[in-house]
Amino acid sequence: MRRLPGAGGMMILSAENLTVRFGAAEALTGVSMGVAAGEIVTVLGPNGSGKSTLLRALLGIVAPSAGKVTRAAGLRIGYMPQRLAIDRAMPMTVRRFLSLPHRVSDAQAEAALLRVGLRGLGAQQMTGLSGGQFQRVLLARAMLVEPQLLILDEPTQGLDQPGEAGFYRLIAEVREQSGAGILMVSHDLHVVMAASDRVICLNQHICCEGTPRVVSNAPEYRALFGLGTQGALALYQHEHDHSHDHDHSGHDQGHSGHDHAEHKHAG
Amino acid sequence: MLDDFLVRAALAGVGLAMATGPLGSFVVWRRMAYFGDATSHAAILGVAIALSLQLPIGVGVLVVALAMALVVSALAARGWAMDTTLGVMAHGALAFGLVAISFVPGVRGDLQNYLFGDILAVTRGDLVFIWGGAGLVLGLLIWRWQPLLTATMSEELAHASGINPGRERLALTIALAIVVAVALKVVGALLIAAMLIIPAAAARALARTPEAMALGAVALGALASLLGLGMSLWQDTPAGPSIVTVAALIFAGAAVFGAIRR
């Protein structure tokens, strides 16, 4: 029932004070976040920052050590994994792949392929697809459950710049047509920035959060990603009292330790 | 012309192929070849235990193969260096079995039958065991087909769809132990893994979907059994190795055919 600053929709999936430990190491510490219906949220962070762990915890693949994940009742989630290495020993057509794990009709499969721009490719072997086609098939499969939330883990991995831009346009289209909320993880910056409603900057804990413009100017974001991101969006200097050392357990959903309310007006 | 023992032998070979086709496909897809070796080599130890305890051989083999498969599966889940570990397990199990069976009086002469199979001596009782076991494996695989296939493609994808990959792995482990028990009489402990891998690998070259590969593996496995039996009669060669020889030739032919067509 909580509302997000800036999003205005109902939360369909949220995490509260999520902590995940692998042995002694903490992969995530006190992460509180959520996705509203129809919203595109991107989790940004360097390698090893716990982005994939966060998605896996939200999906229920990894059990949290503390905190909890709340899903809207009956929430249908479509998931696109980060890597899918198909062994050449496995013969698998695109059409057959779309029927895993739930069988779909030929009409459904063809409609899903049409939606991602791969009309008539059903008979192709998965191992014969280009990188961009492969990612689109993964997206088509995720869309077949008619999800209210799409979770995409580094969806443009291995794509070139035009391929990336095309893929994000496709995701925006999908959101428009289906109204599904979208939660994705990425480490590439600029394209994601343009395609997201809200960006969460993660490095074990949430460093900063807000509209793309706000985040790209946040000192925490710059500290994480270096200087390459200065310039284009350096219109706004993000100010708050964030400290990486203080106790994060008190962080609250929609706050992440600092208030973004004033930033809404910046974007 | 078809003597009764020959009909029984043919039925045994075809029955085995029904199970090894789809199961062998998973062995190939999941790169479990050495896993199959370790489990099937453990069969000799099962024979030794069954003989010394005066249990039915099928029971001894099933129990030991299942134990071996579960141990290997647990080690795999802990992320041991599988290639090395499985090498130790596969050869260790065989050596242990051969030593153990040397203590059982009056078996030495039959040892070859356990190592290479004795398909020409298959009885009606054996046939019931073989077809029963193969039917069980086939039923298990058909029942779990979609989740098994999903978990084989990607454990993460399976997890996200509410499938437990560990449970699917257990289903395969159990199926493998049953197949080992069923195949012992037909091709023997040393060549069980060959019957799993070779027909499936041959079918791979000709198939476009997982189902086509599994069915193709059944057909090619059955064909290899029948032709191998024929070769054994005609040239008086040992039946089990003859079946595997034919299977290997079919594999070579399919690989060439697949390469030309592509």
Side-chain angles (χ1 to χ4, degrees):
Chain A
M1 300 299 138
R2 267 196 245 92
R3 280 165 184 276
L4 257 190
M10 199 117 81
M11 288 299 191
I12 50 178
L13 178 72
S14 61
E16 260 176 86
N17 275 318
L18 204 62
T19 296
V20 176
R21 285 188 200 93
F22 295 121
E26 266 188 14
L28 290 176
T29 308
V31 170
S32 296
M33 51 82 65
V35 186
E39 188 189 23
I40 299 186
V41 176
T42 300
V43 178
L44 273 181
N47 287 333
S49 58
K51 304 180 302 268
S52 289
T53 304
L54 174 60
L55 290 197
R56 292 163 66 87
L58 291 173
L59 282 163
I61 299 175
V62 173
S65 317
K68 66 169 186 174
V69 173
T70 312
R71 293 180 181 194
L75 181 69
R76 285 189 308 277
I77 297 179
Y79 173 56
M80 181 175 158
Q82 182 179 108
R83 274 180 300 269
L84 190 61
I86 296 186
D87 198 305
R88 293 201 72 86
M90 169 80 86
M92 181 65 72
T93 59
V94 170
R95 169 68 187 89
R96 182 65 186 90
F97 179 72
L98 293 177
S99 272
L100 285 177
H102 308 292
R103 293 193 185 273
V104 296
S105 72
D106 285 345
Q108 283 172 301
E110 195 47 44
L113 288 177
L114 186 63
R115 184 149 50 169
V116 298
L118 295 179
R119 187 177 180 182
L121 232 65
Q124 288 256 346
Q125 285 289 308
M126 290 292 287
T127 48
L129 298 177
S130 73
Q133 288 173 331
F134 197 95
Q135 298 303 96
R136 281 163 189 258
V137 171
L138 289 184
L139 180 64
R141 198 203 70 99
M143 292 302 297
L144 276 167
V145 295
E146 292 180 11
Q148 294 145 318
L149 175 64
L150 263 176
I151 296 188
L152 317 172
D153 195 352
E154 306 252 9
T156 59
Q157 209 179 38
L159 299 190
D160 55 13
Q161 284 277 338
E164 244 176 48
F167 196 87
Y168 286 118
R169 268 199 304 277
L170 177 62
I171 287 173
E173 274 172 37
V174 161
R175 191 254 305 254
E176 235 158 75
Q177 288 165 13
S178 68
I182 292 171
L183 174 65
M184 58 186 162
V185 143
S186 188
H187 63 247
D188 47 41
L189 312 173
H190 286 100
V191 203
V192 166
M193 286 292 189
S196 309
D197 297 322
R198 199 154 53 87
V199 176
I200 294 173
C201 195
L202 189 75
N203 194 15
Q204 268 84 61
H205 62 282
I206 292 180
C207 298
C208 52
E209 176 180 3
T211 62
R213 175 174 300 224
V214 165
V215 166
S216 64
N217 286 285
E220 293 80 10
Y221 168 79
R222 294 175 170 217
L224 270 181
F225 289 101
L227 300 172
T229 55
Q230 277 179 344
L233 290 167
L235 301 161
Y236 186 98
Q237 198 52 50
H238 192 73
E239 284 173 25
H240 54 61
D241 57 359
H242 184 87
S243 151
H244 283 227
D245 304 319
H246 65 215
D247 175 21
H248 294 288
S249 60
H251 285 188
D252 196 359
Q253 168 68 48
H255 278 260
S256 307
H258 33 271
D259 190 351
H260 285 277
E262 79 260 35
H263 302 313
K264 275 190 297 184
H265 313 296
Chain B
M1 169 173 172
L2 281 179
D3 297 327
D4 202 27
F5 81 93
L6 203 52
V7 172
R8 288 199 300 269
L11 284 175
V14 171
L16 178 61
M18 306 258 291
T20 53
L23 182 61
S25 298
F26 278 108
V27 169
V28 168
W29 296 331
R30 299 171 78 112
R31 301 184 172 243
M32 290 165 64
Y34 233 165
F35 191 113
D37 257 344
T39 307
S40 54
H41 286 179
I44 293 294
L45 189 59
V47 171
I49 290 173
L51 288 176
S52 55
L53 297 179
Q54 297 186 322
L55 288 169
I57 286 179
V59 173
V61 171
L62 191 61
V63 169
V64 174
L66 190 58
M68 181 62 142
L70 288 174
V71 167
V72 170
S73 184
L75 289 178
R78 283 169 173 233
W80 282 48
M82 278 324 280
D83 194 50
T84 308
T85 312
L86 281 175
V88 173
M89 304 283 281
H91 301 297
L94 184 61
F96 264 94
L98 291 173
V99 168
I101 215 166
S102 75
F103 287 111
V104 182
V107 183
R108 280 176 191 244
D110 298 335
L111 183 56
Q112 184 163 341
N113 294 340
Y114 298 123
L115 290 176
F116 299 111
D118 196 12
I119 191 173
L120 297 176
V122 162
T123 64
R124 282 170 201 281
D126 290 334
L127 269 187
V128 170
F129 183 68
I130 290 170
W131 277 80
L136 208 59
V137 167
L138 206 54
L140 182 65
L141 292 181
I142 289 173
W143 174 43
R144 304 306 309 166
W145 189 259
Q146 285 281 95
L148 260 173
L149 213 50
T150 309
T152 300
M153 295 291 289
S154 157
E155 297 216 333
E156 202 155 279
L157 210 62
H159 256 309
S161 310
I163 296 163
N164 178 353
R167 200 178 50 200
E168 306 309 325
R169 213 177 302 125
L170 182 65
L172 279 186
T173 304
I174 292 170
L176 186 60
I178 297 174
V179 161
V180 166
V182 162
L184 185 71
K185 187 87 180 181
V186 181
V187 287
L190 289 183
L191 295 174
I192 292 171
M195 280 310 280
L196 283 169
I197 294 160
I198 301 177
R204 168 64 188 101
L206 313 172
R208 297 184 49 77
T209 62
E211 289 76 17
M213 177 163 155
L215 286 175
V218 170
L220 294 180
L223 183 68
S225 294
L226 298 178
L227 292 179
L229 273 177
M231 174 176 152
S232 169
L233 275 183
W234 174 45
Q235 288 293 325
D236 197 26
T237 50
S242 302
I243 291 172
V244 176
T245 301
V246 172
L249 290 174
I250 291 175
F251 168 77
V256 170
F257 179 77
I260 290 171
R261 203 182 50 169
R262 199 158 287 152

